[in-house]
Amino acid sequence: MSALPIIRARHLLIAAALAFIALFLVLPLVAVFAAALQKGFEAYGAALIEPDALAAIKLTLLVAAIAVPLNIVFGVVAAWSIAKFDFPGKSLLVTFIDLPFSVSPVVAGLIYVLMFGAQGWLGPWLQEHDIKIIFAVPGIVLATIFVTFPFVARELIPLMSEQGRDDEEAALSLGASGFQTFLRVTLPNIRWGLLYGVLLCNARAMGEFGAVSVVSGHLRGLTNTMPLHVEILYNEYNFVAAFAVASLLALLALITLVLKSIVEWRFGYQRGSARH
Amino acid sequence: MIRLENINKRFGQYPALKDVSLDIRDGEFLALLGPSGSGKTTLLRIIAGLAFPDHGSVQFSGEDVTHLKVADRKVGFVFQHYALFKHMTVADNIGFGLSVRNRRQRPPKSQIKARAEELLDLVQLGGLGDRYPAQLSGGQRQRVALARALAVEPQLLLLDEPFGALDAKVRKTLRRWLRELHKRMGLTSIFVTHDQEEALELADRVVVMDHGVIEQIGTPEQVYMEPATPFVSDFVGETNKLPGGIHVRPHDLEIVGTEGQPVLVDNVFRKGGVWRVEGMFDGHDSLVELDVDATIDPPSPGEIIQVRPRRSKTFTPTGANSHDQA
């Protein structure tokens, strides 16, 4: 009898949480697809294969294809050195890795404008050598790398710290080289955590708006990524096209979520079974 | 023979090893015994090549290996928490050392597999090669770790608290089994432990360490019966510390009719084959424990008894003296 109010409270809480998610997450997602398809599939398709849209999609894929692998390398190297070695300045390095999370993306973009822009520190030198970074693809890639830097490292540092050095030392004592140890012992130990970090990193790399917006210059067909293209179309009252491109980003988010759940499930399973 | 000369190692400001020198004979089973922070694990890691001394040298059979990496020292290292590769089967774990050899020295796959089977039989885990480490018990994992270390045919087997994570029963069985394996394979083995019982039971010689220095090197008998320092006397076995630097083992105190030192008994219980009597020296603040033959009636709490040391050891700032009263 006394359990009844508790059960009622539980149902109420669950209902409130579900209602909140429906209102703020599911509904907007549905709205995106509804708006994109309001003039039918033909208009939807046309908006996606229009040259500027295609250019934006290509640029977004290119940026992610550069930023994500680089951040995998940086992330693994940073996590490795932080988790497995002691050195002076270690806590400072950990703080710096978090910097992109605590700094507004717009500021991140401005940093690059200040450094590489026409009025920036390196601007005159770059102009002399005819290298374009700001308002060009390199700037977009740099800004994206900056913003997505923490994802892989953040995921790996606690994991690698927890695993300690024993496995690597065991491999070395059995005669394995450093590279063999990394490939056959370290990498398998961190594979699910790494995949998880890569997924989040990729989602952010493709979806980043603020930092990229500052350095891009919004040149149609040249320096517009998908999020920037959506904004331009929207400002031109071209709602169907705007939502059509936005729906691709939403789709990416959904795919990421599904993959993330699968990885979490495998990762959790592996972690659970690895405990003694 | 392994020779360590004047090994020094610091971690930041903290001196982990201070001028440690030690000779280890071929075929010997040696225990590094000490409390945590004594430097015993650091010393083992330096012998292995997993850590390097700030000063001093490590020699294997006359050859200076101080700067050789672990991979080039031909040692087998067994970790306290096994360090088995979780994503590999037991057989792949054991075969790992052979499979990472360069192409010219690497045996064919079938041979590695056969070798793994052979070692599994040796550690009495035949037929478990296809399991994953997570599917094994603690004792089984430790034996896999041992088999993996032996697969590369090391001259020297190093074990870091090999039984530390196991429960008492399994520990006892594994100890005896390891002792036998060591003899049968003609290995030189060094193991680290904080458990004096383990060191006394297994080792040919025991190296007692504290605060980065060696307090005593000797056979279990020597270390127990002739402790060189108050620390050894206190750390190895049980000891009553009486005023004046006198150390007496509980089994070296006897109850006498008169002319002993009076002890006020406050607790008596059975400890295996003897009565353990706990009390206080009358008039002093020092606790005393003694063992009394279980075939006679023990004194009861509250009683005052007279005790006398049969055998004691006196530590003065200038040295140690043994006294046999019997």
Side-chain angles (χ1 to χ4, degrees):
Chain A
M1 281 240 253
S2 63
L4 206 60
I6 294 174
I7 290 175
R8 197 170 294 156
R10 191 173 68 190
H11 287 189
L12 246 151
L13 281 173
I14 294 172
L18 285 178
F20 188 86
I21 289 173
L23 191 65
F24 286 94
L25 294 174
V26 180
L27 209 60
L29 208 57
V30 173
V32 168
F33 285 97
L37 293 168
Q38 64 181 338
K39 289 196 180 146
F41 283 98
E42 230 164 277
Y44 179 82
L48 292 183
I49 57 169
E50 180 255 334
D52 286 351
L54 273 183
I57 294 170
K58 269 191 208 154
L59 180 59
T60 299
L61 292 177
L62 174 74
V63 168
I66 299 171
V68 173
L70 280 177
N71 272 339
I72 291 176
V73 175
F74 292 155
V76 170
V77 168
W80 177 294
S81 42
I82 286 168
K84 314 259 172 179
F85 301 104
D86 285 315
F87 53 89
K90 180 163 149 174
S91 57
L92 200 68
L93 183 58
V94 176
T95 312
F96 274 129
I97 286 173
D98 276 345
L99 190 68
F101 274 172
S102 49
V103 148
S104 158
V106 176
V107 176
L110 280 174
I111 293 170
Y112 287 103
V113 173
L114 275 177
M115 278 174 64
F116 303 118
Q119 265 73 48
W121 297 339
L122 300 174
W125 187 87
L126 289 170
Q127 253 168 356
E128 244 170 66
H129 294 80
D130 204 23
I131 302 170
K132 272 192 81 69
I133 291 182
I134 299 304
F135 305 148
V137 175
I140 297 174
V141 172
L142 281 177
T144 306
I145 289 174
F146 180 87
V147 171
T148 56
F149 182 74
F151 285 99
V152 173
R154 280 269 87 181
E155 201 55 50
L156 292 183
I157 290 169
L159 182 64
M160 290 174 109
S161 309
E162 185 196 308
Q163 288 173 345
R165 279 196 293 233
D166 278 9
D167 282 15
E168 277 84 12
E169 287 185 343
L172 291 173
S173 80
L174 291 165
S177 67
F179 185 63
Q180 281 172 322
T181 302
F182 176 75
L183 219 58
R184 297 189 50 180
V185 175
T186 308
L187 210 51
N189 271 344
I190 62 169
R191 59 190 161 180
W192 295 111
L194 182 62
L195 193 56
Y196 189 97
V198 167
L199 275 176
L200 294 181
C201 181
N202 183 57
R204 183 68 189 269
M206 291 189 172
E208 174 56 26
F209 179 84
V212 170
S213 171
V214 176
V215 297
S216 129
H218 305 266
L219 305 174
R220 276 193 165 207
L222 288 174
T223 63
N224 268 349
T225 59
M226 282 161 75
L228 300 183
H229 192 59
V230 171
E231 197 213 13
I232 289 178
L233 292 171
Y234 188 83
N235 287 342
E236 290 170 350
Y237 303 104
N238 193 347
F239 295 131
V240 169
F243 280 107
V245 178
S247 73
L248 284 186
L249 284 170
L251 207 61
L252 167 77
L254 288 177
I255 293 170
T256 304
L257 265 181
V258 171
L259 290 177
K260 186 172 147 289
S261 305
I262 294 173
V263 169
E264 249 165 21
W265 176 74
R266 280 294 324 243
F267 191 21
Y269 168 77
Q270 190 201 24
R271 274 192 150 175
S273 68
R275 300 264 74 65
H276 320 303
Chain B
M1 192 177 77
I2 295 155
R3 168 163 286 175
L4 306 174
E5 271 178 347
N6 306 101
I7 301 285
N8 281 281
K9 176 77 177 173
R10 278 175 171 279
F11 293 118
Q13 283 302 301
Y14 177 76
L17 291 171
K18 291 179 260 188
D19 233 14
V20 170
S21 295
L22 176 65
D23 281 352
I24 300 143
R25 301 175 200 127
D26 287 333
E28 189 166 35
F29 205 163
L30 190 85
L32 301 178
L33 173 67
S36 56
S38 60
K40 56 191 192 300
T41 298
T42 306
L43 191 61
L44 190 79
R45 291 172 59 83
I46 284 175
I47 298 171
L50 289 170
F52 297 92
D54 301 331
H55 301 287
S57 71
V58 183
Q59 291 158 38
F60 286 4
S61 316
E63 186 196 350
D64 188 351
V65 298
T66 314
H67 303 289
L68 276 191
K69 279 185 290 191
V70 60
D72 304 321
R73 288 200 193 181
K74 286 199 168 168
V75 296
F77 200 100
V78 177
F79 292 81
Q80 181 177 4
H81 298 290
Y82 328 121
L84 294 178
F85 308 132
K86 292 183 271 295
H87 59 283
M88 293 183 202
T89 63
V90 165
D92 287 343
N93 262 283
I94 297 174
F96 183 85
L98 298 173
S99 71
V100 293
R101 287 189 178 166
N102 63 39
R103 212 173 288 274
R104 233 169 286 151
Q105 290 166 306
R106 185 170 55 211
K109 272 208 171 97
S110 59
Q111 216 170 314
I112 295 179
K113 205 165 175 259
R115 178 84 180 123
E117 292 295 329
E118 209 178 288
L119 282 158
L120 272 173
D121 285 337
L122 178 77
V123 298
Q124 298 163 357
L125 291 175
L128 296 188
D130 292 331
R131 300 258 185 107
Y132 283 88
Q135 297 167 303
L136 302 181
S137 72
Q140 289 174 325
R141 285 180 205 172
Q142 190 59 293
R143 278 184 280 165
V144 173
L146 199 65
R148 184 178 68 177
L150 293 173
V152 292
E153 290 170 353
Q155 320 169 326
L156 178 62
L157 187 61
L158 304 169
L159 309 106
D160 183 13
E161 299 266 6
F163 314 109
L166 301 170
D167 57 68
K169 257 256 150 55
V170 179
R171 204 181 311 176
K172 227 170 164 100
T173 326
L174 263 187
R175 264 190 221 163
R176 187 168 310 161
W177 173 82
L178 180 65
R179 168 94 239 182
E180 208 153 281
L181 190 80
H182 163 86
K183 254 192 240 164
R184 187 145 45 103
M185 300 193 63
L187 292 163
T188 305
S189 309
I190 305 173
F191 72 104
V192 156
T193 181
H194 62 266
D195 179 351
Q196 44 105 6
E197 206 183 297
E198 195 166 286
L200 298 184
E201 180 185 321
L202 272 179
D204 297 323
R205 281 198 306 158
V206 179
V207 176
V208 188
M209 298 183 66
D210 187 40
H211 288 110
V213 297
I214 292 179
E215 294 272 330
Q216 186 172 6
I217 306 171
T219 63
E221 176 75 5
Q222 285 166 344
V223 168
Y224 187 81
M225 294 305 285
E226 292 294 331
T229 67
F231 173 81
V232 177
S233 164
D234 199 24
F235 191 75
V236 181
E238 293 173 298
T239 292
N240 292 303
K241 282 182 277 185
L242 310 186
I246 302 169
H247 286 212
V248 193
R249 304 280 187 207
H251 54 75
D252 284 336
L253 274 174
E254 62 181 343
I255 300 178
V256 290
T258 50
E259 288 177 7
Q261 282 174 289
V263 166
L264 174 62
V265 177
D266 60 28
N267 190 24
V268 178
F269 59 94
R270 177 176 275 283
K271 191 177 183 236
V274 294
W275 295 110
R276 168 57 59 92
V277 178
E278 295 174 343
M280 292 277 233
F281 271 116
D282 221 17
H284 297 286
D285 251 0
S286 49
L287 285 165
V288 61
E289 296 173 324
L290 60 144
D291 291 337
V292 181
D293 195 340
T295 55
I296 62 166
D297 286 338
S300 30
E303 204 179 315
I304 291 181
I305 54 173
Q306 305 281 324
V307 304
R308 194 178 67 123
R310 269 189 292 255
R311 192 172 186 286
S312 68
K313 198 143 174 84
T314 310
F315 294 99
T316 59
T318 50
N321 294 297
S322 301
H323 309 281
D324 279 302
Q325 261 79 17

